[in-house]
Amino acid sequence: MILREGMKWTIPPAILSVIFLLMAVQNSKVLPVFLIFAAITAIITLFFRDPERRIGDGVVSPADGTVLQIIKRDGYHEVHIFLNIYNVHVVRSPIEGTVVGVEDVSGGHKPAFARGAEKNRKVRVMIKEQGHEWVVELVGGLLARKPISWVRVGDRVLKGERIGMITFGSRVILRIPEARAKILAKPNEKVVGGETTIGEFL
């Protein structure tokens, strides 16, 4: 499945691919141009893919990618996940709960893997579960200028449910209440959004 947000990026090169393919039938010199636009279409389609997931146990990863670091701060475990351009960029809820806050936070546009990237522009989603507040931050990067949230305050979300996306390389920060869950994820671990168990409830 392809995200609707990706259609505006996918359709133009796809149309040009068809046009240049038809031209290449008459003139083989146009074939390289067709191949370029076909490759662009394939890459964009790959980026905006949205596969179904088999939801894992416990606290699941909110995104595909690599765990950069895990920090204890202010009563929370912070799990930082880096998404490269080849990862699925749909962000999912790590637990079942109710959305109690959605904030658009201004900031910079450093590469998502760089130190200090957590201060980039982001969308912060707060989810209340069993009296605890969990935080999922969709952090933009050098190209990912505006993360997108698909939820609003008052929405009830299921574990693994899609809550937003970030485009073209980014970072997701999950803040897990220390009193509510134990961290199982480790730095440099590859995780799959909605499937990989990164914590267990206490």
Side-chain angles (χ1 to χ4, degrees):
M1 185 169 68
I2 302 298
L3 293 168
R4 63 180 183 276
E5 286 83 357
M7 293 303 179
K8 66 179 180 181
W9 298 90
T10 307
I11 291 176
I15 292 174
L16 289 172
S17 296
V18 173
I19 292 173
F20 283 112
L21 175 60
L22 295 175
M23 293 174 63
V25 173
Q26 303 296 326
N27 183 356
S28 61
K29 291 182 179 180
V30 182
L31 185 59
V33 181
F34 156 70
L35 293 175
I36 290 172
F37 280 102
I40 291 172
T41 302
I43 291 171
I44 295 175
T45 300
L46 179 68
F47 178 84
F48 283 102
R49 69 196 186 281
D50 181 19
E52 293 297 329
R53 294 289 165 79
R54 183 175 181 178
I55 307 305
D57 298 324
V59 180
V60 297
S61 175
D64 290 21
T66 303
V67 177
L68 285 179
Q69 59 182 347
I70 300 172
I71 304 169
K72 280 189 177 183
R73 193 193 328 249
D74 300 328
Y76 284 89
H77 298 288
E78 281 189 6
V79 182
H80 293 238
I81 301 170
F82 170 67
L83 294 70
N84 67 37
I85 197 168
Y86 302 110
N87 289 127
V88 173
H89 276 58
V90 173
V91 180
R92 297 171 179 266
S93 176
I95 42 88
E96 180 177 352
T98 301
V99 177
V100 294
V102 179
E103 300 176 353
D104 189 345
V105 183
S106 61
H109 299 287
K110 289 185 177 181
F113 55 82
R115 180 174 296 180
E118 64 272 11
K119 295 181 181 179
N120 284 357
R121 183 176 182 179
K122 68 187 75 173
V123 169
R124 181 180 293 133
V125 179
M126 287 81 84
I127 302 171
K128 184 79 76 173
E129 177 270 344
Q130 296 287 323
H132 296 275
E133 187 171 286
W134 300 60
V135 182
V136 183
E137 291 188 346
L138 293 68
V139 185
L142 185 62
L143 297 176
R145 295 301 176 107
K146 190 178 187 305
I148 301 167
S149 170
W150 295 330
V151 294
R152 295 181 294 181
V153 173
D155 286 352
R156 183 75 182 173
V157 293
L158 300 176
K159 181 171 66 173
E161 183 175 339
R162 300 166 178 86
I163 61 173
M165 73 166 295
I166 324 173
T167 54
F168 302 117
S170 40
R171 180 187 297 210
V172 172
I173 301 173
L174 171 60
R175 290 193 170 93
I176 301 173
E178 286 186 41
R180 185 67 180 110
K182 173 185 176 182
I183 297 297
L184 300 179
K186 297 179 180 179
N188 299 316
E189 180 181 352
K190 303 293 184 183
V191 293
V192 178
E195 290 190 1
T196 304
T197 300
I198 63 172
E200 61 181 13
F201 293 106
L202 298 176

